[in-house]
Amino acid sequence: MHKMKLDAVVIMQIYELIFSIYANHEDLEGMQDILVRAKKASSYFHRKETYAIYYNMLSEYYDILLDGFYDTDNQDEERVLNKMLDAIEKTLFYSKQNISYDINHLYVKNILAKATILMRSNRGTIRKIDKLITNAKRIIIENTTEYADVRLQYYLVCAWYYALVQDDKDMAEVFIKDALELSNVIIPTDLQKIEDVIIPCANIYFELCCYNQAIGLLYKGTRLCFKHINTDSYAFIRQQLYNHFFQVGIEAQQVEWCQKMIKLIEIENKEIVDEKNRVIIPEEVRSL
């Protein structure tokens, strides 16, 4: 009986791994195929743990479709957001009993995901968001180690909370620094560090109009990319970083920042062997 339970979870985790590979490549068809297979498997095993993993994957799928557009008036995006919230609620329901021995911390991760959506979609009251974050903090303290990856998610959610809800730059920065320090210990690749921490933290600084800090983080990201200057997997994120940099520079009316970055890009592009991996400088930026 116990072996069957273990095998069921392992199989679902394999689906989860394959799903994440498709997600990293933005392969919607591949993600949809895995979701169909995972749904059948979770129904076959008929266990809370397998349902929790499936609905967590489903919520991630809807999150990818939304691409950050949580606060929207678009009806199609509203429907996707509603489906995502429903998948989160189902994940919470099926993962609640396994808090103490769930190595993936699905329950608390989905509490934090729900808090994030309520903040960024303007759907939740401060009291409700506070309650979710406080509950998440208690569970994390009681059930995770010092270097658990869910703590990184917690720091980022708290940073967003102080930026969007409380407009408290100092407290937001405390959690940004916590996130950056933890990421240096637990994130294995520069690419993941840029995607999961550096860009989100730069966005938080941008939201707070802390342009110097945002620029500093984005520049740090470009230096990490420079270490992998001719690696294909870094080309897209390098372009993203520079696009964000120019967005902040224009908003801050810092033409000099943009000019210096254009010169740096032109120098680096000469070192990139494959032309398709070179950074494209938008004409509206050059015209500055």
Side-chain angles (χ1 to χ4, degrees), residues 81-239:
L81 182 60
N82 288 335
K83 289 179 179 179
M84 183 182 173
L85 283 167
D86 181 65
I88 287 173
E89 291 295 347
K90 286 185 169 70
T91 308
L92 290 171
F93 174 79
Y94 287 116
S95 62
K96 188 171 185 178
Q97 293 182 353
N98 301 322
I99 295 173
S100 60
Y101 55 90
D102 177 12
I103 60 171
N104 291 320
H105 310 298
L106 287 186
Y107 184 69
V108 70
K109 283 182 178 179
N110 278 271
I111 290 176
L112 292 168
K114 183 177 178 179
T116 301
I117 291 175
L118 293 181
M119 277 190 285
R120 297 183 65 182
S121 66
N122 290 315
R123 287 190 174 200
T125 62
I126 294 178
R127 183 178 178 182
K128 190 170 186 179
I129 295 166
D130 281 348
K131 186 176 180 180
L132 287 168
I133 293 175
T134 301
N135 192 23
K137 180 180 180 180
R138 177 184 59 79
I139 295 169
I140 287 170
I141 291 171
E142 292 175 357
N143 297 280
T144 72
T145 64
E146 183 181 358
Y147 299 112
D149 63 341
V150 71
R151 291 185 178 238
L152 181 57
Q153 184 182 351
Y154 170 75
Y155 294 148
L156 290 171
V157 170
C158 287
W160 275 116
Y161 171 78
Y162 283 106
L164 296 177
V165 179
Q166 299 293 349
D167 193 26
D168 187 330
K169 295 180 182 180
D170 292 337
M171 283 303 299
E173 189 159 41
V174 167
F175 284 104
I176 286 173
K177 288 180 177 178
D178 285 342
L180 290 168
E181 287 176 9
L182 184 57
S183 71
N184 289 332
V185 177
I186 69 171
I187 293 184
T189 68
D190 290 333
L191 183 63
Q192 188 181 350
K193 191 181 297 182
I194 294 167
E195 289 179 327
D196 294 354
V197 185
I198 288 178
I199 289 178
C201 288
N203 286 339
I204 295 168
Y205 275 133
F206 183 74
E207 189 72 33
L208 289 165
C209 300
C210 297
Y211 300 128
N212 288 338
Q213 291 93 326
I215 283 291
L217 269 183
L218 293 169
Y219 181 75
K220 178 181 177 181
T222 68
R223 296 311 85 207
L224 292 176
C225 280
F226 186 72
K227 291 161 54 181
H228 313 271
I229 193 72
N230 280 299
T231 304
D232 289 354
S233 58
Y234 280 81
F236 177 73
I237 200 71
R238 185 166 57 244
Q239 181 73 59

